[in-house]
Structures are given as C-alpha cells and as structure tokens.
Amino acid sequence: MNVKFSANRFRGVFDHTLKCEFYAFGVVQGQRRNTCETLRGLKDKFQRLEDCQQSIAVSLLQDEGDESLFETDFDDAEKYRDRFLEVMLHLNLKLTEKVIPIDPPPKRNFKLPQLQLKKLNGDARDYLAFWRQFQKIHADSGIPNEDKMQYLIQVVEEGSKAERLVQSFPTTASNYPKAIQQLQEPFGR
C-alpha cells in the first residue's frame, strides 16, 4: 500500500521534528521568533500527516473485510494527534509566558562576623534568647537530626542543668526531638 508507506514516512518526519525542534527549544529559551517558526513547521508537517492519514482511512474503508487494520491505523493516528496537541499547547504557553528578570541580591563588600550561639545554662530567663537563635537550626530541614543533636550538645553550658538533661540522651537522630521536648518542658513555658 503506497499511501501507508507515505504515512509512515510522514510519521517519521514528524517524530524527528518533535525531537529536534521541540526539545532544542528548551535549550534556547526566550527566543519568540524560533518558537513561532517551530509552531509553523509543526503545523505544516502535521497537516501533511493528516492529509495522508485521510487517504489511508479512505483506502482502508474501501477494502471491506479488514476492519482491524483500520482500527490499528486509526489508533496510531490518534496518538500522533494527541502528541501534536500536547506540543502545541506547550509551545503556545511558552509564547504567552512573561519572563520577569530577578535581580540578584547585592554583593556585600564586607564580611560579617560569625554568629556565636547563646549558651543554654539552665536558667529559664535565658531560654527564650537561646531558643530564638537555636530555632533556626531546629527548623532547618536540610540539617540531619544527628547534626542538630551535636549542635545542641555544643550550646549547653558545661555543668548546667540543661547539659545534664541533654547528656541523658544517647547522641542519635531519634533522640534529638526527645531532647528538645525535654528542654522545652521546664524552660520553654
């Protein structure tokens, strides 16, 4: 079937166009002209594929008795239509997207001194000042609990009630939340 051969060639060209132009578009962002050209090229190739597909459908319908070929070919054509619509939607969104440049934060011409964490000595009056600083470490999900536990051990004052409480827990990730909870009970109220 000559028409079927043509459809396979058009499908191959369409696939190649998608791979080359559509995926390359992701690398060359912000070039509106290239997007318009890509849209026109895809529309042209898809229209030729659709015309060929119509010829195949007519030919297959005339050959009575083999509906399975028609259904298989129709399903293949639908997959190409769906891909075409998906790509067109994506490219149209790229065309209407507004790019707002983000200014980088200003660079400092000086270096700030390293912050020293306030030591927790066990006095309830000093707990709030300690917790305001330590809470940044506590809330940081990028720091593993094992490390948080080590920081906690470092910021309790030696020989204090707080040190005895923290040292009562083995230094493990699972014990960090327990140690914090125990510290907050007498001091955090």
Side-chain angles (χ1 to χ4, degrees):
M1 209 185 260
N2 196 13
V3 179
K4 184 75 172 163
F5 176 75
S6 296
N8 287 336
R9 294 273 298 143
F10 280 124
R11 287 176 181 170
V13 168
F14 184 76
D15 282 337
H16 180 73
T17 302
L18 282 181
K19 287 177 187 164
C20 292
E21 292 185 30
F22 178 66
Y23 293 114
F25 175 74
V27 176
V28 188
Q29 292 179 348
Q31 295 186 4
R32 194 175 175 89
R33 198 171 119 238
N34 287 350
T35 307
C36 292
E37 290 170 10
T38 301
L39 280 170
R40 278 194 294 277
L42 283 175
K43 284 179 183 177
D44 177 59
K45 285 177 178 47
F46 184 73
Q47 187 57 53
R48 288 190 281 163
L49 179 60
E50 276 292 295
D51 293 344
C52 187
Q53 189 60 45
Q54 289 298 325
S55 300
I56 290 173
V58 168
S59 174
L60 288 174
L61 286 174
Q62 288 174 352
D63 296 341
E64 291 182 25
D66 201 359
E67 290 180 18
S68 65
L69 279 176
F70 175 79
E71 287 178 21
T72 302
D73 193 65
F74 182 80
D75 289 342
D76 289 344
E78 280 301 305
K79 289 176 188 171
Y80 278 89
R81 283 184 194 101
D82 291 344
R83 285 180 62 202
F84 173 72
L85 293 173
E86 180 184 342
V87 168
M88 293 302 288
L89 175 66
H90 183 75
L91 289 174
N92 280 319
L93 286 173
K94 282 289 186 187
L95 276 173
T96 58
E97 167 180 277
K98 293 185 180 184
V99 178
I100 301 170
I102 299 174
D103 294 331
K107 289 196 173 202
R108 291 190 183 114
N109 293 331
F110 56 91
K111 191 171 182 172
L112 292 172
Q114 189 173 5
L115 290 176
Q116 293 294 321
L117 289 175
K118 183 162 180 58
K119 293 265 186 184
L120 181 60
N121 60 11
D123 188 354
R125 293 176 297 199
D126 295 334
Y127 177 79
L128 288 176
F130 157 77
W131 185 246
R132 268 188 251 127
Q133 282 187 323
F134 194 79
Q135 190 173 16
K136 292 175 185 163
I137 293 171
H138 179 69
D140 190 337
S141 60
I143 301 174
N145 279 354
E146 298 93 10
D147 294 345
K148 290 178 184 181
M149 186 68 168
Q150 288 299 324
Y151 284 122
L152 185 59
I153 291 169
Q154 290 175 15
V155 296
V156 290
E157 202 169 276
E158 201 171 317
S160 69
K161 184 171 133 182
E163 182 195 33
R164 287 190 301 279
L165 191 138
V166 171
Q167 293 290 350
S168 70
F169 293 97
T171 310
T172 63
S174 61
N175 283 331
Y176 170 73
K178 296 173 190 173
I180 289 293
Q181 183 181 7
Q182 289 295 313
L183 274 177
Q184 288 177 337
E185 282 180 15
F187 301 118
R189 293 183 185 239

